[in-house]
Every structure is written in structure tokens, then in C-alpha cells.
Amino acid sequence: MPVWSAIEVSRARSLPVGMPEMTCRNRFLRPCFSRLAAVSADEELAVVFLADGAALHAGHGALLAVSTLTREECESDEEFEAEGGEFRTAPAGIHEIHANLMIANLDFSDFADAAEAAPDGVFRSL
């Protein structure tokens, strides 16, 4: 099974009952930075999940979770450093991350800290 297909199957299996399906795209979009800038304009979107080279070729399938927070949205550099950034997540973690960020139950940094504490640096579940 191709790596992208395995990632998508893992993500789909973790979808909680009654949760609406999220859109996943099986293509590489370029230029990446202009796409991310367009995504960050959506005030409701706190994180994007990217299947980068490491996810596709390292064998673990861990996606890159990237905060859409910009420095301009923060009152200080400390706030930006705490709530911005990126971490790796197993595809099954996407729904937990997205749902908790949407209802402001947890912050991006909570998930980033959990990933950092994991032996392999990949968020799996809280």
C-alpha cells in the first residue's frame, strides 16, 4: 500500500462517530508558502496537517502539525513562541487535535508538549 494511502486509512479509522469528515488532499501543492499564507487567513483554522517528506519517506507516517498563528496576532514574542510552531502527530491524532483546538479545550502548546515528551517525538493521544 502506498504511504499516503496508509496515512489516510489510519486517519479515517480514528474518526469519532458523528464527527464530520475533514477534507484531505492527495496531491502536492506548490508553492507551499503561499498556500500556508492563504490558510492562515482563515481565522477559524488553528492548525494545518502536512504530509511532508519525513511523513512519506521515514516510514512512521507522522504528519507535521503546523500552527497558523502569526507573530502579529500575539501580544509578545513569548506568546508566539508558546503557541506557535510545529510538531509531529500520528494520523489518528488529527481529530483529537482539531476538535480540542476548535472548542478551545486545549491549546496548540498542550499537544506540542505531549509530542515533545513522547519517546519518538510524535503525538499519539492525551
Side-chain angles (χ1 to χ4, degrees):
M1 173 183 300
V3 176
W4 174 257
S5 297
I7 290 170
E8 179 57 17
V9 166
S10 176
R11 185 201 61 80
R13 283 186 183 149
S14 69
L15 185 66
V17 174
M19 185 172 200
E21 180 64 34
M22 293 184 294
T23 302
C24 288
R25 305 238 187 265
N26 183 8
R27 66 181 103 167
F28 294 93
L29 301 173
R30 293 190 181 155
C32 182
F33 292 113
S34 65
R35 298 288 181 185
L36 289 177
V39 166
S40 69
D42 182 347
E43 293 182 17
E44 298 296 318
L45 190 61
V47 62
V48 293
F49 301 95
L50 305 173
D52 62 351
L56 297 173
H57 301 294
H60 53 59
L63 302 173
L64 190 61
V66 181
S67 171
T68 61
L69 185 69
T70 64
R71 173 59 185 97
E72 293 76 27
E73 295 172 298
C74 299
E75 293 182 16
S76 67
D77 289 337
E78 292 78 20
E79 179 186 358
F80 180 64
E81 288 177 24
E83 295 302 324
E86 62 190 42
F87 62 90
R88 294 250 169 230
T89 181
I94 291 174
H95 303 294
E96 181 178 352
I97 295 165
H98 181 69
N100 280 290
L101 292 176
M102 289 301 294
I103 63 172
N105 187 42
L106 295 168
D107 294 325
F108 188 86
S109 62
D110 295 319
F111 296 104
D113 291 346
E116 186 176 329
D120 61 355
V122 176
F123 173 79
R124 300 222 185 286
S125 184
L126 290 177

